[in-house]
Amino acid sequence: MVDPIIHTNHSTSLHRKAAEVLPFIDAYVAKKEQEIAEIEQMVERYEKRRLKEERAYQSMSTLRRLLSGRKPDHHLAVEYIHFVKKPMEQVRALRLEIEHAKSIQVSSPTDIVTVSGDLVNELYK
């Protein structure tokens, strides 16, 4: 009989003892919080730029506004989705990962916990 080939994929969720993961959680949480801060800064820069563009357009004279090109509303909507909505969805997902990691931190070292792919990658670095 032929034995099945077993592939170990470290990028999927795995079950580990909490004691194996606890030393890495603080670094993992710090890394995720840094990612959140970077994304929020990017969103804030976009919103400031957009507000600045809008103020500049509103301060123009009527003739100049008529002659200058303004982005169509659907372009602004796509920009908003790209620069604000999607990144904020990423932030929500990262915060959920942080909550999950902190729940592992609270659990007993002998408990079996489910570990996300990112944390598994952090373990094997």
Side-chain angles (χ1 to χ4, degrees), residues 2 10 21 25-26 36-39 45 48 56 58 61 65 68-69 76 87 92 98 101 104 111 113 115:
V2 178
H10 296 295
V21 182
I25 289 182
D26 290 330
I36 288 172
E38 289 172 3
I39 291 171
R45 283 192 307 265
K48 282 181 181 178
Q58 293 300 328
S61 67
R65 262 192 255 170
S68 72
L76 295 176
R92 278 186 228 103
I98 288 173
I104 292 172
D111 290 347
V113 294
V115 180

Side-chain angles (χ1 to χ4, degrees), residues 5-22:
I5 298 174
I6 300 173
H7 295 282
T8 305
N9 188 358
H10 296 295
S11 64
T12 61
S13 294
L14 297 173
H15 299 289
R16 298 271 181 197
K17 282 190 176 182
E20 295 176 18
V21 182
L22 288 176

Side-chain angles (χ1 to χ4, degrees), residues 65-81:
R65 262 192 255 170
L66 185 65
L67 297 174
S68 72
R70 186 174 185 188
K71 292 180 184 175
D73 288 339
H74 64 280
H75 285 233
L76 295 176
V78 170
E79 274 186 8
Y80 178 81
I81 290 170

